[in-house]
């Protein structure tokens, strides 16, 4: 399953072919899917909306969770965040810790 983590955007805002993607608005939806090994491709946003003054965990926190739990998508992790700092943080974790366990498919 291809999972698109973003609080406001739709898959078609980022990718030409939006077919086959599941939209997740919260990492609490993504974590159980990763734990079960169901995610093949994951696309990450770094900035999630706030509730009041409280930050909602996003792609950076999910990358940290994947690094610590060693639960990753089987094929690919993409970053579609437009925040350059959070993009860099996520890409550093992905580059250092992600290893595909299945063949790559074009998104």
């Amino acid at each position: 399953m291809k999972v698109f983590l973003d609080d406001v955007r739709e898959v078609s805002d980022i990718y030409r072919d939006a077919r086959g993607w599941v939209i997740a608005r919260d990492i609490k939806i993504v974590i159980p899917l990763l734990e079960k090994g169901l995610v093949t491709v994951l696309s990450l946003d770094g900035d999630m909306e706030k509730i009041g003054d409280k930050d909602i965990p996003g792609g950076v926190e999910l990358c940290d969770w994947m690094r610590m739990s060693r639960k990753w998508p089987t094929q690919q992790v993409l970053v579609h965040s437009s925040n350059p700092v959070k993009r860099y943080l996520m890409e550093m974790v992905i580059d250092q810790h992600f290893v595909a366990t299945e063949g790559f498919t074009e998104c």
Side-chain angles (χ1 to χ4, degrees):
M1 142 185 341
K2 297 190 297 187
V3 178
F4 182 83
L5 177 67
D6 199 296
D7 57 331
V8 293
R9 288 179 284 194
E10 299 296 323
V11 177
S12 60
D13 294 337
I14 305 297
Y15 301 112
R16 211 172 314 156
D17 185 2
R19 292 174 295 163
W21 288 90
V22 173
I23 297 174
R25 301 293 186 200
D26 191 316
I27 69 170
K28 292 176 187 170
I29 295 167
V30 182
I31 288 173
L33 299 172
L34 288 164
E35 289 176 325
K36 293 175 185 170
L38 299 175
V39 181
T40 55
V41 179
L42 179 60
S43 186
L44 300 170
D45 182 22
D47 291 315
M48 303 298 273
E49 295 252 344
K50 289 185 175 190
I51 297 179
D53 291 338
K54 183 179 178 186
D55 287 328
I56 302 299
V60 172
E61 293 81 8
L62 186 57
C63 281
D64 286 341
W65 179 88
M66 291 187 295
R67 177 184 53 80
M68 291 185 291
S69 68
R70 297 183 179 180
K71 303 284 185 185
W72 292 87
T74 57
Q75 294 179 6
Q76 188 176 24
V77 184
L78 305 166
V79 177
H80 65 265
S81 179
S82 56
N83 179 319
V85 173
K86 291 190 177 183
R87 172 181 282 279
Y88 174 79
L89 293 172
M90 290 184 282
E91 289 175 346
M92 289 296 295
V93 172
I94 294 163
D95 290 347
Q96 292 176 6
H97 298 280
F98 171 71
V99 177
T101 58
E102 290 182 6
F104 170 77
T105 58
E106 190 66 37
C107 295

